Amino acid sequence: MEDRIQGNLEETEYEELGDDQKVSIGKWFLLNAPPGQVLQVAKDVRELLTDSQLYDRAASEAFPEYNVRSMISLEMPDGSGKVLLTKFGELDRSHFLVPRTASVAVVDHVKQMCTEVRPADDEELPSAYVEGFRFCVDVALLKYVDEAFQGGECSVYCTKGKDLEKSGGEFEVTVVISNSSYSPKNFRGGCWQSVWGVLINEELHSASLQGTISDGKDAGTVIVNSIEHLESVFLSNLEEQFANLSDRTFKELRRKLPVTRTLFAWDKALQLSLTREITREFSGNRR
């Protein structure tokens, strides 16, 4: 009886996982890789799966999702700049619009490389009227990101009403900012991602983020100033929380009074300890 139970336990413990389960596990590890470390995680996943075909399946499913979700940027081979991988510029699985250069980048997700660049087609770009606004927002955004985010990338997409030819209607631009920092020797890594949707109506001379505008140039300045203000407030609050972490937060985690609701006399702790030892010794000698 005992031998039969032991045999069943061993059989259950070493039950082989199916290929789909292995791919699913490998994909989970890749999707949950810390910022800047997905390639290192990929090496470990390859060794864990011990099968190149299973790894290729997991990587082909995980990397496109990871890259877009993490908003990574890749250098374009023609030297014209970088392409930011976002859902707002994603034309299909491997083609991404680069509004700043009116081009389309072809991406190898697993290698995290931009392999080719082509001019964007007319239907992939906004109208000249909308592009005038988008361009002005992009110019102001570049200046802000260059000053506030060391090594950060940004892009401005037209996400609604891109075919509008003249004033009298609404269109939307989406502002994307992405930055990451990875320093393994200092045991730190992190990323910043922000997305801002801006609805513009030139006929009403207004933008949804802030204030009143009169032309496209003013729109770019007002929109980016609003973004800069909101992000600065967020960062200031974050810095304040970290500054108060040791002085206030940790102290609030400690119990101020024991369950007896009376303060413990720490200055008399040694005296009480010695008293107990003497009493114990005295009691032992009497017996």
Side-chain angles (χ1 to χ4, degrees), residues 236-266:
S236 297
N237 291 336
L238 195 63
E239 291 176 357
E240 183 179 351
Q241 290 180 32
F242 277 110
N244 294 330
L245 195 63
S246 59
D247 295 333
R248 186 174 64 192
T249 307
F250 285 147
K251 286 184 179 180
E252 291 176 352
L253 291 174
R254 290 161 42 191
R255 185 192 294 274
K256 296 182 179 179
L257 292 175
V259 292
T260 60
R261 308 299 298 172
T262 58
L263 291 173
F264 183 77
W266 291 102

Side-chain angles (χ1 to χ4, degrees), residues 17-27 49 54 57 61:
L17 294 175
D19 288 350
D20 290 342
Q21 290 175 301
K22 292 179 181 179
V23 171
S24 179
I25 292 172
K27 181 180 177 181
L49 295 179
L54 294 182
R57 281 181 55 190
E61 294 177 15

